[in-house]
Amino acid sequence: KISAVTGAARAQLLPAEQIENAAALWQALLPSLPASNNWVVAPQKTSTGKSLLANDTHLQMTVPAMWYMMNLECPEYRAAGVALPGTPIVALGTNGSIAWGATMVMADNQDIFLEQMREAPDTISTTPAGTLQYLYKGKWENAEVTPETIQIRGGKSHTFKRIKTRHGVLLNEAFLRPFPDVHLALNLRSDYGLAYRTSVGSRETTLNGIFEMASARNMKAARAALDKVTGIYLNVVYADEKNIGWVATGKYPARKGASGLLPRIGWTGENEWDGFYAPSENPSALNPKEGFVATANHKIWDDATELWVSSSWYGGDRADRAKELLAKGEKLTAEDMGRFQGDVMSLTAKRVHDLLFAPGFSNELTQAIDQLPAADNLKAVEAINILRGFDGNLAKDSAAAAVYQ
């Protein structure tokens, strides 16, 4: 079994090289999960001289399914593709002039702000004693407290106080309660108020943007529609007959100070959100020189830019493999797009193989196998011999692929 070597006590027992090898293998196996992918190919790289677009939005199998196919048509509107159950809008598809597809960006659009809280003392003449307050820039401000009741099936109900500061609604009560459906019971108590701030809120234009995307007839209109998709963070590739584009949708907070990885101090005013970036500043491309764009939930932003997209993302191996296939092609066809979607070459598996058989790691592995009991030793030697010629191809009839998995 593979495990990361992180504990200080364990580290004292292992030589530095062994720790480095374990860390390298752990890093190689970090998730490049079988999540969504998409790509779009420019006319100069296709056999027909017209753009090609492919999208596979991998989601969990559910009943009902997350997507259902829809053809929506009236005299002023026509689009075909997939929709979310219960919504009369083609979310991803084509309208005959524009095609578009999406993957998740893995964006960080929310923060927890720590608040210093108190009940107002009876010495303040302008504020009733017991009023809940929070500290901001040296002054105590009154929190907004609203009684709310949630009706629960079966006649029960739950009444609570919705407490809000300038940074958002406090989550403290929610953290004290179990969530049986998701097997989560945090029982997290904090002397600080835990205020939740998110970029998704009032004046949402997301559904309008998706609806307008399906009625766009050129790239300019398509980008204008996508700029209205502020509440969902998607890598959208889109194309007309002669042009290709990509944009990361959503409204990104302009953070002062630290990134959004850890809770922020709420009372100093030094870690505020300074509004939001304009849609024109979102990561994007239009007719790139490579002749294609591919995304697969990987890191699509440049750390050198001010716009901080996220602190977490999936590994880039799936996107790199798509780019590898697209870069080789010059007269690509729709059949090629289908073949690429069914590709089973794993760059992750290839990297793990190369690491296992690198001189330093290989010697360490041999020594570990030699120490196994006889029966396990024979199995391990056989497994390593099967893996030795593995090229990362996860074909269903491959013994090496089975051993790797």
Side-chain angles (χ1 to χ4, degrees), residues 40-43 50-52 98 219 238-245 286-287:
V40 62
V41 185
K50 298 180 181 180
S51 305
L52 284 171
I98 296 284
M219 297 293 281
Y238 60 108
D240 64 12
E241 192 173 288
K242 295 297 182 183
N243 302 278
I244 66 170
L286 183 64
N287 294 324

Side-chain angles (χ1 to χ4, degrees), residues 113 136 166-167 254-256 264 266 269-274:
F113 282 81
Y136 185 70
R166 65 171 53 239
H167 298 121
R255 294 177 167 100
K256 288 182 180 178
R264 304 164 79 80
E270 297 175 354
N271 294 299
E272 299 300 300
W273 285 10
D274 188 16

Side-chain angles (χ1 to χ4, degrees), residues 21-22 56 61 250 270 357 375 385-386:
N21 286 340
D56 195 348
M61 296 289 287
E270 297 175 354
F357 292 98
N385 287 335
I386 291 173

Side-chain angles (χ1 to χ4, degrees), residues 211-235:
F211 190 80
E212 291 175 18
M213 185 68 193
S215 60
R217 290 294 180 268
N218 56 58
M219 297 293 281
K220 184 178 180 180
R223 177 60 195 267
L226 291 171
D227 285 348
K228 293 184 179 182
V229 181
T230 56
I232 305 178
Y233 294 79
L234 303 170
N235 282 304

Side-chain angles (χ1 to χ4, degrees), residues 44-168:
Q44 66 266 28
K45 288 181 67 68
T46 70
S47 62
T48 61
K50 298 180 181 180
S51 305
L52 284 171
L53 186 146
N55 187 199
D56 195 348
T57 55
H58 299 134
L59 296 170
Q60 289 180 322
M61 296 289 287
T62 58
V63 179
M66 290 293 290
W67 296 116
Y68 73 101
M69 299 187 74
M70 173 189 282
N71 182 59
L72 192 60
E73 190 170 343
C74 66
E76 297 82 19
Y77 186 97
R78 180 191 174 198
V82 294
L84 293 168
T87 61
I89 298 176
V90 174
L92 309 171
T94 180
N95 61 20
S97 298
I98 296 284
W100 69 103
T103 69
M104 297 302 296
V105 169
M106 317 303 293
D108 180 1
N109 68 326
Q110 58 192 35
D111 278 336
I112 299 293
F113 282 81
L114 303 180
E115 307 280 29
Q116 290 192 43
M117 310 294 297
R118 76 169 188 182
E119 291 186 358
D122 56 12
T123 56
I124 305 176
S125 60
T126 57
T127 304
T131 299
L132 195 61
Q133 296 183 316
Y134 63 97
L135 186 64
Y136 185 70
K137 291 186 176 181
K139 296 181 179 180
W140 290 96
E141 299 186 0
N142 293 342
E144 179 185 313
V145 181
T146 308
E148 290 198 10
T149 299
I150 299 174
Q151 299 297 333
I152 302 173
R153 184 173 61 185
K156 299 179 181 179
S157 64
H158 173 64
T159 300
F160 67 100
K161 292 180 180 180
R162 181 178 181 270
I163 304 170
K164 186 178 181 181
T165 71
R166 65 171 53 239
H167 298 121

Side-chain angles (χ1 to χ4, degrees), residues 253-255 277 281 302-309:
R255 294 177 167 100
Y277 288 96
E281 299 178 89
D302 184 353
D303 286 343
T305 63
E306 291 185 4
L307 195 160
W308 181 259
V309 174

Side-chain angles (χ1 to χ4, degrees), residues 25-36:
L25 185 58
W26 186 254
Q27 186 65 36
L29 288 168
L30 282 177
S32 178
L33 298 179
S36 302

